[in-house]
Amino acid sequence: MPDLLLELFSEEIPARMQRKAGEDLKKLVTDALVERGLLYEGAKAFVTPRRLALHVAGLPVRGRDVREERKGPRVGAPEAAIQGFLKAAGLNALDQASIVSDPKKGDSYVAVIEKPGQETIQAIAEIVPAVIRSFPWPKSMRWGEASAAGASLRWVRPLHSILCTFGAETEDTEIVPFEVDRLVSGNVTHGHRFHAPGPITVKRLEDYVASLEKAKVVLDADRRKEIILTDARNLAFAQGLDLVEDEGLLEEVAGLVEWPVVLMGQFEERFLDIPGEAIRATIRANQKCFVLRDPATGALANRFILVSNLMASDGGAAITAGNGRVVRARLSDAAYFWQTDRGPLPDLETFRDSAEKLGLDLAKPLDQRMAKLDKLGVVFHARLGTQGERVQRIAALARELAPIVGADPEKAERAAKLAKADLPTEMVGEFPELQGLMGRKYAELQGEDASVAAAVEEHYKPLGPSDRVPGDPVSVAVALADKLDTLVGFWAIDEKPTGSKDPYALRRAALGVIRLVVENGVRLALLPIVEGRAKPIFRHEHGFSKYNFISHLATLREQALDGEIKADPFSDKERRTIEDAYAKDENAGLETAYDILAGRCAADLLSFFHDRLKVMLRDQGARHDLVDAVLGESASVNDDLLLITRRVAALGRFLDTEDGRNLLAGYKRAANILKAEEKKDGEGAFAGAADLQLIADAGLIEEKALAVALAQATPKAQDSVAAEDYEGAMAALAEIRPAVDAFFDKVTVNDPDPALRANRLKLLNQLRQATRAVADFDRIAG
């Protein structure tokens, strides 16, 4: 079967766009082929700095013929209906239609429309130009004389030629004929820009790949990565060193070269006094080079690996020397930053007020930087204050959280005050990715406690689902304070994530709080913390005054009705509560308003935490419906994430057992019966305990056994939950299971005797209540 080969040859495509561009090209072309009924056996995209290529194998020569029967109006229908049918079906007269008889509906017209399948080469000639014109580059440009016209082609960099051939392996291929902005498709490509820039005529994938290889172009990006990694490892090994591998850098470098040549450079040993992370950031960011380390000590070596796109006649000596000069210049800058950041700042007296406010020691360089950050008034967010104000909030919260997580409150507060101090340093200003890490280095140099220095770096963690969670209690306290301050602040000003948009990374922050709490076994009541932090923000946002408070409330309602604000912040019921409090005491009325706003904010944020917890547990293989079951009706107040996780785990293990599965089935049966009967008798009709005397009089062993089992197991389960012994609670429920099975096997619930029926439904309601002491089984799927 024929194959399609497509290449779009251009100036250099930015490395960061290449992988996605290849995926987009493959998807756009293959989706369009499938839409036309042209199925294929396989497709693969290729990308180099100067070309996007696609190979689609196993295409048919032409699409399938289509035969469609279109039903029309009945015979004798009005002329307008008949003319509409003829036009829609593409017929000229009624004699081109058939008449079909239906015993019920009578005779009606039917048009048989036969469309021959489209030639595949013609379909490709229509698809590819459309794909090129609408290609989703993140950034694109116009070029040349045609760029003056607004409708000219846009591409990531100037597009020079289009290769597009179609044909079977055993036949000569054809050029798929089309034109895009005066670029005519052909069967010619070009090799390496310097080593083989001349034209190369190709037919199909096999000779395309082989011809490019001869012309010093490795088409496959993954193969270029493999060449670079293997050669770099070998060069390092030959010098007795290890390569510091970097997948992101490897991906980028593979997108910068078509013919990778790996070389080794060096710099002076004196630069090794700079922190290794700074050396690596400098060399990586500015020269796209890999660093090497001494396997004996783990320290960086004064060598680096660079990747050239050129086979130089001198073996790369000039290239290596040139890169070495640039690396040395960059490292000289880094050495200056490192030295400057460890020294005192000029004009220290101007930072005295900030230092006193934050309790900083101006004799220490890192404290000076924090005082400078506060003095400069660097804004964190227009509605949430400056970085200095934020650090004060984080420090206060870290001190409050310290006893809960087992940290020293003094150390936690000190670490929080220094956590953002490296932001105005020279090193972090040049390399923002080193924030936190450089703060730790500077903290260690000025003699801070090891836990304090570690927390300065680790308070940003975890940065994602696979990132390490800090375990030092001081780090945990500061990390929680930092993330909770962020979440509460943005929730209070209604800057929450929407859909796929999360500009402040609040989902990541919430997941970070969950992982910090769960993986460190921290019992943390979130609601009072959130409410306590949200209330000052609402006080600042609204600024209610006791002198015009009632009129302010009326103004808020009018603004909501006029669309000036999103919504009235208070419901009618809340307004009555506020006004009643205000009538008794003006200040109490204001505080009630702030309490309501803070409470609503806390409940909404807690719901967000629950949603992120479900996502995390689902990713770990747990059932997300178990979270809803454990939360039950108390979701709005169930704020201990560690306990929720433990209960979910215990419930999951229980439902994996035979007892758990059978009890769930029995519960579902009981719940369905109760739901149906409560519709007849009214909700709550079967509340209360079953009459044991009626059960005894009925004489059914199975009914009595269930009553006894419930009487014994229910208090056990309740006591176990109260003692946070969730395994014990599940074991108590397991004791009920045999009695439930026997009851449904032998006892008729809806007995003709109304008293017996009502009593048995009360017994089932007791079963429902017993399980709800542990979890809401109604919310469990299955």
Side-chain angles (χ1 to χ4, degrees), residues 646-661:
R646 288 176 176 173
R647 290 180 68 175
V648 168
L651 181 58
R653 287 191 292 271
F654 176 61
L655 292 176
D656 285 338
T657 66
E658 185 180 355
D659 282 343
R661 288 189 292 269

Side-chain angles (χ1 to χ4, degrees), residues 514 517-518 524 526 609-610 613 639-645:
I514 293 169
V517 166
V518 172
L524 184 63
L526 287 170
F609 275 117
H610 290 162
L613 180 61
D639 62 347
D640 190 328
L641 300 176
L642 179 63
L643 276 191
I644 295 170
T645 306

Side-chain angles (χ1 to χ4, degrees), residues 354-355 357-360 366-367 369-375 377-381 384-400 409 411-424 456 459-460 477-483 485-486 533:
S354 292
K357 178 175 63 177
L358 293 169
L360 300 170
L366 198 57
D367 292 59
R369 270 69 184 177
M370 185 59 239
K372 178 183 178 181
L373 184 66
D374 179 69
K375 179 66 177 178
V378 176
V379 175
F380 170 65
H381 186 280
L384 295 174
T386 65
Q387 285 283 11
E389 292 168 338
R390 181 167 182 252
V391 165
Q392 286 182 286
R393 296 196 302 267
I394 295 172
L397 182 53
R399 187 180 185 89
E400 181 183 332
K411 292 180 181 178
E413 184 178 13
R414 175 65 176 164
K417 288 179 178 178
L418 296 179
K420 309 298 180 183
D422 65 349
L423 293 181
V456 172
H459 81 281
Y460 290 106
V478 182
L480 281 172
D482 179 59
K483 291 167 178 58
D485 179 80
T486 299
R533 265 67 207 165

Side-chain angles (χ1 to χ4, degrees), residues 486-765:
T486 299
L487 287 161
V488 174
F490 284 108
W491 238 255
I493 63 173
D494 200 24
E495 290 283 355
K496 296 173 279 192
T498 55
S500 61
K501 295 181 179 179
D502 187 9
Y504 303 111
L506 301 181
R507 293 188 180 97
R508 186 176 71 186
L511 179 61
V513 171
I514 293 169
R515 292 189 62 203
L516 284 162
V517 166
V518 172
E519 296 184 30
N520 285 293
V522 175
R523 297 289 305 280
L524 184 63
L526 287 170
L527 283 175
I529 291 173
V530 174
E531 289 176 9
R533 265 67 207 165
K535 197 171 176 180
I537 299 173
F538 285 116
R539 188 177 282 112
H540 178 267
E541 277 280 295
H542 292 285
F544 296 137
S545 167
K546 64 181 180 181
Y547 301 109
N548 61 354
F549 182 50
I550 300 302
S551 62
H552 194 157
L553 291 181
T555 301
L556 286 173
R557 173 156 291 181
E558 291 172 4
Q559 288 175 332
L561 292 172
D562 294 342
E564 295 178 33
I565 58 175
K566 287 184 180 179
D568 186 346
F570 302 108
S571 67
D572 290 339
K573 182 179 178 181
E574 289 168 343
R575 282 172 174 272
R576 286 193 294 271
T577 302
I578 295 167
E579 289 166 359
D580 289 345
Y582 185 80
K584 296 175 183 176
D585 182 276
E586 294 176 346
N587 290 321
L590 267 64
E591 291 305 309
T592 300
Y594 293 131
D595 286 338
I596 288 172
L597 292 172
R600 189 188 305 141
C601 171
D604 191 34
L605 182 53
L606 181 60
S607 176
F608 183 71
F609 275 117
H610 290 162
D611 288 341
R612 302 319 298 167
L613 180 61
K614 291 177 197 175
V615 172
M616 186 187 84
L617 293 176
R618 183 185 62 208
D619 291 344
Q620 293 174 355
R623 291 168 48 178
H624 66 86
D625 58 330
L626 300 189
V627 179
D628 288 327
V630 164
L631 294 173
E633 298 299 325
S634 61
S636 61
V637 296
N638 208 330
D639 62 347
D640 190 328
L641 300 176
L642 179 63
L643 276 191
I644 295 170
T645 306
R646 288 176 176 173
R647 290 180 68 175
V648 168
L651 181 58
R653 287 191 292 271
F654 176 61
L655 292 176
D656 285 338
T657 66
E658 185 180 355
D659 282 343
R661 288 189 292 269
N662 289 341
L663 181 62
L664 177 61
Y667 172 87
K668 292 285 187 183
R669 186 173 177 184
N672 289 335
I673 293 171
L674 283 168
K675 192 180 295 182
E677 299 308 310
E678 283 173 341
K679 285 182 180 179
K680 302 174 188 175
D681 295 45
E683 191 172 345
F686 311 114
D691 187 333
L692 297 179
Q693 188 58 51
L694 269 179
I695 292 173
D697 292 344
L700 291 176
I701 297 172
E702 293 80 10
E703 187 176 9
K704 183 178 180 181
L706 179 58
V708 171
L710 285 170
Q712 294 174 347
T714 302
K716 284 184 185 178
Q718 291 171 342
D719 291 345
S720 295
V721 170
E724 299 174 6
D725 176 14
Y726 303 116
E727 299 291 349
M730 301 302 163
L733 289 185
E735 295 174 9
I736 305 174
R737 197 270 294 181
V740 172
D741 292 347
F743 177 85
F744 282 121
D745 190 40
K746 299 293 184 180
V747 178
T748 302
V749 176
N750 284 317
D751 194 273
D753 184 336
L756 282 178
R757 168 184 171 272
N759 205 49
R760 287 168 182 170
L761 288 169
K762 284 185 176 183
L763 198 59
L764 293 186
N765 187 57

Side-chain angles (χ1 to χ4, degrees), residues 12 82 94 155 195 223 302 339 343 376 405 426 443 460 499 549 581 629 641 655 673 745 749 753 768 773:
E12 277 72 8
I82 291 174
L94 273 178
W155 201 246
H195 293 304
R223 184 161 166 257
N302 63 327
Q339 182 178 358
L376 291 174
V405 303
E426 300 285 346
Y460 290 106
F549 182 50
L641 300 176
L655 292 176
I673 293 171
D745 190 40
V749 176
D753 184 336
R768 180 166 63 182

Side-chain angles (χ1 to χ4, degrees), residues 193-214:
R193 180 184 288 277
F194 304 111
H195 293 304
I200 304 169
T201 302
V202 297
K203 295 181 178 180
R204 54 182 60 86
L205 180 67
E206 289 74 16
D207 68 304
Y208 174 66
V209 173
S211 298
L212 286 178
E213 192 87 17
K214 291 177 183 177

Side-chain angles (χ1 to χ4, degrees), residues 9 50-51 190-198 200 212 215-217 257-260 308-311:
F9 184 76
R50 301 181 71 204
R51 70 200 79 223
H190 299 267
H192 192 281
R193 180 184 288 277
F194 304 111
H195 293 304
I200 304 169
L212 286 178
K216 298 296 184 286
V217 175
V257 297
E258 290 194 318
W259 188 257
S308 171
N309 192 35
L310 196 65
M311 291 181 64

